[in-house]
Amino acid sequence: MTPDELTLADLPIRDDLRGRTPYGAPQIDVPVRLNTNENPYPPSPELVGDLAEEVRRGAGELNRYPDRDASALRADLADYLGHGLDASRVWAANGSNEVLQQILQAFGGYGRTALGFEPSYSMHPIITTGTSTEWIGGAREDDFSLDPAKAAAAVEEHRPDIVFLTSPNNPTGTALPLETIARVLEAAPGMVVVDEAYAEFAREGTPSALSLLPSHPRLIVTRTMSKAFAMAGTRLGYLAAHPAVIEALLLVRLPYHLSTLTQAAARVALRHRVELLGTVDALRRERDATVEWLRGQGLTVADSDANFVLFGRFPERRAVWEGLLERGVLIREVGPPEWLRVSIGTGEEMAAFRAAMEGVL
Ligand SMILES: *Cc1c(COP(=O)(O)O)cnc(C)c1O
C-alpha cells in the first residue's frame, strides 16, 4: 500500500473508536446561521477595544507560561455565579466540552459507565466513549421531560459512575425542576453533572442546580461563555463543585491548558457582562415568539427555556432542512427523527427564517 492509499481503517486506532463518526455540526457560510446556538449579537466596539488592550498587555508576557491555575479568572467566575462560591470551588477550561472531558478522565474511564437521558447533548456520549467510558442512554417522556421516579430508578438500576442531567436540555429546551435533580442525586452512587450551558436563558424563577451544591459534594454544575455570554470564539467553559472535585480535575488537566490570551479575554467578557447578557431578554422574547409562530403553522413545538426551539414533525426532515438552506437559512438536523432545531437569532434573522419556512411549507 502506498501512503496515498492509506485510510483511517488502516491505522492501528483503538478498537472502540473504529467506525465512529466525529462531531460535525455543518459550518456552512450562508447569510442566516441558526444552527449552533450561538448568541447572534457580536461584541460592542468598546468591548473589542478593551479586549485588544488586555491582549496587548498579555502579549508582552507570552514568553512565559500562563497562570496554570487561572486563579484570577476563577475568582471572577465565582463572583459572577454568586451562591457564596469562591475560586476554590470553580474550575475553567477551553469550553465546557474540555471541562466535561476532564470530568470523564477523572471519574470515568475503562470499566466505568456514564448515563444520560436522551435526546440530549450529542457531545456527552462522544466525550464519554472518547475516554473509554461506557455510555448508557436513558429515556425521556414523550414531551421530553424527565419523570423523577423513573430517572431515579434508571440510576439505581445501572449504578453509573457519572450521571448527566442537562438543564435546560439541548436539543429540546426542557428545564428540570430542582426536585428531579435532587432525586437523581439521592439515587446516584457516583458523580452527577448538571450541564447548565443555557442557564441564563431559562425563564425567570427557574432555579439553578448551584443552590444544591452546599448539600451535595458529588454534584458538578457546568456552564459556558459560548451561549448567553456571546463568546463562543473564546472557548471558555467552567464548573462549580466541591473543592475536592477540583483537586481531582487537577490530576488530569494538562498543565497550562488555558492560554494567557484566553484567560484575559474571559476576564474582559466578565467585566462587560451587563452588556453581553443584555441581549438575553431580547433573545427570550424572540424565542417565545418563534414558538408561538411555529405552533400557529400547525407544527409541534417543544417548550423551550433555552435560545433554540425544537420543532416538527417532518417525515422528511432532511428535505425541510435542505429547503431552508436553499433559501439561505442554516438550521440543525438534530434530535429525534422528524424534528429540527432552530437557534434564536436577531429579529431580522428570525424574519428570514419565517419567510424561508413559509416557502418550504
Ligand atoms: C453548547 C453546549 C455546550 C458548550 O460547549 P462549549 O465547549 O462551552 O462551547 C455544553 N453543553 C451543552 C448542552 C451545549 O449545548
Side-chain angles (χ1 to χ4, degrees):
M1 184 194 315
T2 68
D4 282 350
E5 289 164 353
L6 181 120
T7 68
L8 170 57
D10 301 312
L11 291 174
I13 188 177
R14 266 166 40 195
D15 291 333
D16 62 343
L17 292 179
R18 280 191 192 278
R20 292 198 183 272
T21 33
Y23 176 85
Q27 287 194 304
I28 306 174
D29 196 9
V30 292
V32 180
R33 284 181 294 171
L34 302 173
N35 73 327
T36 47
N37 300 342
E38 293 140 316
N39 187 317
Y41 296 100
S44 70
E46 292 72 37
L47 198 162
V48 170
D50 205 3
L51 199 120
E53 186 49 44
E54 287 298 330
V55 167
R56 173 186 297 278
R57 209 182 310 237
E61 294 168 16
L62 284 180
N63 56 313
R64 298 292 177 190
Y65 282 114
D67 172 6
R68 197 170 51 218
D69 295 329
S71 307
L73 170 60
R74 285 161 62 201
D76 289 354
L77 288 165
D79 176 61
Y80 164 65
L81 288 177
H83 291 268
L85 293 164
D86 59 31
S88 75
R89 291 168 190 275
V90 172
W91 180 245
N94 296 283
S96 50
N97 280 315
E98 188 181 23
V99 168
L100 294 171
Q101 186 177 53
Q102 293 173 341
I103 294 168
L104 261 305
Q105 287 176 318
F107 297 103
Y110 185 74
R112 293 190 166 212
T113 59
L115 175 133
F117 298 91
E118 295 175 320
S120 191
Y121 185 40
S122 62
M123 282 308 298
H124 292 161
I126 292 177
I127 297 172
T128 295
T129 52
T131 55
S132 298
T133 314
E134 189 190 332
W135 175 254
I136 301 168
R140 287 173 177 268
E141 302 303 297
D142 286 343
D143 65 355
F144 305 124
S145 66
L146 269 191
D147 178 289
K150 286 193 211 164
V155 170
E156 274 155 14
E157 181 193 341
H158 296 288
R159 304 195 56 76
D161 297 283
I162 300 167
V163 179
F164 285 104
L165 296 173
T166 312
S167 181
N169 185 47
N170 177 12
T172 63
T174 323
L176 289 177
L178 278 192
E179 303 79 74
T180 307
I181 298 170
R183 278 290 288 276
V184 168
L185 277 161
E186 274 159 37
M191 306 302 293
V192 175
V193 178
V194 181
D195 185 334
E196 291 193 348
Y198 302 95
E200 289 92 347
F201 293 109
R203 261 162 264 262
E204 278 327 317
T206 308
S208 163
L210 291 171
S211 59
L212 296 172
L213 278 173
S215 46
H216 295 89
R218 287 181 288 100
L219 168 64
I220 302 175
V221 183
T222 64
R223 296 278 188 105
T224 180
M225 297 186 89
S226 298
K227 308 289 163 56
F229 253 101
M231 282 277 137
T234 304
R235 306 306 299 130
L236 200 288
Y238 55 106
L239 62 76
H242 190 280
V245 173
I246 287 151
E247 280 181 57
L249 300 179
L250 289 175
L251 301 174
V252 297
R253 67 92 185 271
L254 296 175
Y256 315 110
H257 66 297
L258 267 186
S259 85
T260 301
L261 304 182
T262 301
Q263 293 186 42
R267 295 191 69 203
V268 170
L270 283 160
R271 280 211 297 276
H272 288 262
R273 62 187 178 234
V274 173
E275 169 198 325
L276 288 170
L277 296 174
T279 61
V280 164
D281 276 344
L283 289 166
R284 280 188 188 136
R285 279 195 297 275
E286 202 65 60
R287 167 196 69 203
D288 294 341
T290 302
V291 170
E292 212 167 298
W293 185 84
L294 287 166
R295 285 184 180 151
Q297 305 301 302
L299 295 166
T300 310
V301 188
D303 288 329
S304 176
D305 266 284
N307 65 332
F308 53 81
V309 174
L310 190 73
F311 64 101
R313 302 174 58 158
F314 308 105
E316 305 279 345
R317 77 168 173 185
R318 172 40 69 95
V320 177
W321 182 83
E322 279 173 354
L324 292 172
L325 190 56
E326 279 162 19
R327 291 164 176 82
V329 178
L330 176 63
I331 67 166
R332 190 83 189 278
E333 199 182 4
V334 69
E338 305 197 350
W339 295 77
L340 291 165
R341 190 193 71 192
V342 61
S343 309
I344 302 303
T346 63
E348 274 172 31
E349 288 172 324
M350 297 321 287
F353 165 71
R354 291 191 298 271
M357 277 296 289
E358 276 167 355
V360 171
L361 298 174

